[in-house]
Amino acid sequence: RSLVGSEMCIRDSPKTPLNWIWKINMTSTHHDHWSSTNTQFKTTPYWWILIIFWSLSLHTSTVMMTSLSPISWLLIESYGISAFTTTFCVLVFHIAYIPFNFPANYLFDKFGLVIPTLIAVFLYVAGTWVRLLSHDVSDKFYWIVIGQTLAAIG
Protein backbone atom coordinates (compact mmCIF):
# COMPACT_ATOMS: atom_id res chain seq x y z
CA ARG A 1 0.00 0.00 0.00
CA SER A 2 1.11 3.52 -0.55
CA LEU A 3 -0.03 7.01 0.29
CA VAL A 4 -0.75 9.30 -2.65
CA GLY A 5 -1.80 12.78 -1.57
CA SER A 6 -4.29 12.22 1.24
CA GLU A 7 -5.72 8.99 -0.19
CA MET A 8 -4.59 5.47 0.62
CA CYS A 9 -4.04 3.29 -2.43
CA ILE A 10 -3.19 -0.36 -2.77
CA ARG A 11 -0.83 -1.88 -5.30
CA ASP A 12 -1.86 -4.85 -7.41
CA SER A 13 -1.57 -7.95 -5.26
CA PRO A 14 -0.23 -11.14 -6.78
CA LYS A 15 -1.93 -14.55 -6.69
CA THR A 16 -4.78 -14.14 -4.23
CA PRO A 17 -8.30 -15.59 -4.31
CA LEU A 18 -9.76 -12.09 -4.01
CA ASN A 19 -7.64 -10.67 -6.83
CA TRP A 20 -10.54 -8.57 -8.22
CA ILE A 21 -10.42 -6.36 -5.11
CA TRP A 22 -6.72 -5.67 -5.50
CA LYS A 23 -6.92 -4.56 -9.11
CA ILE A 24 -6.72 -1.01 -7.87
CA ASN A 25 -4.78 1.63 -9.75
CA MET A 26 -4.86 5.39 -9.76
CA THR A 27 -4.38 7.74 -12.65
CA SER A 28 -1.41 9.53 -11.07
CA THR A 29 2.12 8.20 -10.85
CA HIS A 30 3.73 7.67 -7.48
CA HIS A 31 7.52 7.83 -7.31
CA ASP A 32 9.08 5.67 -4.63
CA HIS A 33 11.83 7.74 -3.00
CA TRP A 34 13.75 4.66 -1.84
CA SER A 35 13.99 3.07 -5.26
CA SER A 36 13.90 4.19 -8.85
CA THR A 37 10.48 2.68 -9.64
CA ASN A 38 7.26 4.49 -10.47
CA THR A 39 3.90 2.93 -9.58
CA GLN A 40 0.64 3.62 -11.40
CA PHE A 41 -2.59 3.84 -9.35
CA LYS A 42 -6.20 3.96 -10.56
CA THR A 43 -9.35 4.07 -8.42
CA THR A 44 -12.11 1.49 -8.97
CA PRO A 45 -15.53 1.06 -7.27
CA TYR A 46 -14.18 -1.93 -5.34
CA TRP A 47 -11.60 0.35 -3.77
CA TRP A 48 -14.36 2.53 -2.31
CA ILE A 49 -16.23 -0.52 -0.98
CA LEU A 50 -13.03 -1.73 0.64
CA ILE A 51 -12.29 1.65 2.22
CA ILE A 52 -15.86 1.93 3.57
CA PHE A 53 -15.64 -1.58 5.04
CA TRP A 54 -12.24 -0.81 6.59
CA SER A 55 -13.52 2.49 8.04
CA LEU A 56 -16.55 0.77 9.56
CA SER A 57 -14.29 -1.79 11.22
CA LEU A 58 -12.24 1.04 12.77
CA HIS A 59 -15.45 2.67 13.99
CA THR A 60 -16.58 -0.65 15.47
CA SER A 61 -13.31 -0.92 17.35
CA THR A 62 -13.78 2.53 18.86
CA VAL A 63 -17.37 1.77 19.87
CA MET A 64 -16.31 -1.53 21.42
CA MET A 65 -13.50 0.19 23.33
CA THR A 66 -15.67 2.88 24.89
CA SER A 67 -18.97 1.01 25.28
CA LEU A 68 -18.44 0.17 28.95
CA SER A 69 -17.22 3.62 30.00
CA PRO A 70 -20.66 5.27 30.37
CA ILE A 71 -21.85 2.47 32.65
CA SER A 72 -18.70 2.08 34.76
CA TRP A 73 -20.55 3.11 37.94
CA LEU A 74 -23.11 0.37 37.24
CA LEU A 75 -20.35 -2.21 36.77
CA ILE A 76 -18.76 -1.17 40.08
CA GLU A 77 -22.07 -1.59 41.92
CA SER A 78 -23.19 -4.78 40.16
CA TYR A 79 -19.97 -6.75 40.19
CA GLY A 80 -18.33 -5.25 43.29
CA ILE A 81 -15.14 -4.38 41.44
CA SER A 82 -12.78 -1.43 41.69
CA ALA A 83 -12.79 1.62 39.46
CA PHE A 84 -9.40 0.57 38.02
CA THR A 85 -10.87 -2.76 36.90
CA THR A 86 -13.60 -0.98 34.96
CA THR A 87 -11.02 1.39 33.48
CA PHE A 88 -9.03 -1.66 32.40
CA CYS A 89 -11.73 -2.42 29.82
CA VAL A 90 -10.63 0.67 27.90
CA LEU A 91 -6.98 0.32 28.83
CA VAL A 92 -6.79 -3.18 27.33
CA PHE A 93 -7.20 -1.65 23.85
CA HIS A 94 -4.23 0.65 24.41
CA ILE A 95 -2.11 -2.15 25.85
CA ALA A 96 -2.98 -4.58 23.04
CA TYR A 97 -2.11 -1.99 20.38
CA ILE A 98 1.61 -2.14 21.15
CA PRO A 99 2.34 -5.86 20.61
CA PHE A 100 -0.35 -6.53 17.99
CA ASN A 101 0.46 -3.52 15.81
CA PHE A 102 3.54 -5.22 14.35
CA PRO A 103 1.80 -8.42 13.15
CA ALA A 104 -1.07 -6.30 11.81
CA ASN A 105 1.31 -4.17 9.76
CA TYR A 106 2.96 -7.32 8.42
CA LEU A 107 -0.45 -8.68 7.35
CA PHE A 108 -1.34 -5.37 5.69
CA ASP A 109 1.93 -5.37 3.76
CA LYS A 110 1.66 -9.03 2.76
CA PHE A 111 -2.07 -9.34 1.97
CA GLY A 112 -3.40 -5.78 1.50
CA LEU A 113 -6.47 -4.46 3.30
CA VAL A 114 -9.01 -7.25 2.82
CA ILE A 115 -7.62 -10.23 4.74
CA PRO A 116 -6.44 -8.29 7.85
CA THR A 117 -9.74 -6.39 7.96
CA LEU A 118 -11.71 -9.64 7.83
CA ILE A 119 -9.56 -11.08 10.63
CA ALA A 120 -10.13 -7.93 12.72
CA VAL A 121 -13.90 -8.01 12.14
CA PHE A 122 -14.00 -11.70 13.11
CA LEU A 123 -12.18 -10.88 16.37
CA TYR A 124 -14.56 -7.95 17.07
CA VAL A 125 -17.57 -10.22 16.59
CA ALA A 126 -16.05 -12.99 18.73
CA GLY A 127 -15.27 -10.48 21.50
CA THR A 128 -18.79 -9.09 21.34
CA TRP A 129 -20.34 -12.55 21.61
CA VAL A 130 -18.12 -13.43 24.57
CA ARG A 131 -19.26 -10.23 26.29
CA LEU A 132 -22.93 -10.88 25.48
CA LEU A 133 -22.90 -14.51 26.57
CA SER A 134 -21.05 -13.77 29.81
CA HIS A 135 -24.28 -13.19 31.72
CA ASP A 136 -24.63 -16.97 32.33
CA VAL A 137 -21.16 -17.36 33.89
CA SER A 138 -20.49 -17.02 37.64
CA ASP A 139 -17.40 -14.77 37.21
CA LYS A 140 -19.16 -12.57 34.69
CA PHE A 141 -16.89 -9.56 34.69
CA TYR A 142 -13.76 -11.50 33.82
CA TRP A 143 -15.53 -12.85 30.74
CA ILE A 144 -16.31 -9.25 29.82
CA VAL A 145 -12.60 -8.48 30.07
CA ILE A 146 -11.81 -11.54 27.90
CA GLY A 147 -14.30 -10.30 25.29
CA GLN A 148 -12.75 -6.83 25.41
CA THR A 149 -9.31 -8.39 24.94
CA LEU A 150 -10.44 -10.38 21.88
CA ALA A 151 -11.87 -7.21 20.36
CA ALA A 152 -8.69 -5.28 21.24
CA ILE A 153 -6.54 -7.83 19.44
CA GLY A 154 -8.64 -7.25 16.33
Side-chain angles (χ1 to χ4, degrees):
R1 53 191 167 95
S2 174
L3 292 177
V4 176
S6 62
E7 298 183 28
M8 182 183 292
C9 302
I10 305 166
R11 297 178 193 202
D12 289 332
S13 177
K15 303 176 194 95
T16 59
L18 300 173
N19 202 21
W20 56 272
I21 292 178
W22 280 286
K23 295 211 181 278
I24 298 169
N25 294 318
M26 206 164 154
T27 55
S28 65
T29 301
H30 170 69
H31 178 71
D32 191 356
H33 297 287
W34 291 278
S35 68
S36 61
T37 61
N38 288 331
T39 307
Q40 287 281 337
F41 297 101
K42 181 176 77 176
T43 307
T44 65
Y46 301 113
W47 184 79
W48 291 106
I49 292 170
L50 184 62
I51 293 299
I52 289 170
F53 185 64
W54 181 68
S55 299
L56 286 174
S57 74
L58 289 178
H59 177 71
T60 303
S61 174
T62 305
V63 168
M64 186 74 165
M65 178 177 66
T66 59
S67 63
L68 295 177
S69 294
I71 59 166
S72 63
W73 62 272
L74 186 61
L75 293 173
I76 291 170
E77 289 178 6
S78 299
Y79 294 109
I81 54 177
S82 67
F84 174 76
T85 308
T86 60
T87 306
F88 184 73
C89 288
V90 174
L91 190 62
V92 72
F93 276 81
H94 300 293
I95 293 171
Y97 176 80
I98 297 167
F100 291 104
N101 183 39
F102 299 109
N105 284 333
Y106 172 76
L107 291 174
F108 278 120
D109 287 340
K110 182 151 177 90
F111 299 109
L113 268 172
V114 175
I115 302 299
T117 303
L118 290 175
I119 292 170
V121 168
F122 174 77
L123 287 169
Y124 297 152
V125 170
T128 302
W129 277 107
V130 167
R131 276 180 46 181
L132 287 173
L133 297 176
S134 69
H135 70 280
D136 290 334
V137 182
S138 61
D139 292 329
K140 300 174 192 176
F141 187 74
Y142 295 104
W143 282 102
I144 292 172
V145 173
I146 291 170
Q148 284 287 101
T149 305
L150 276 175
I153 292 170

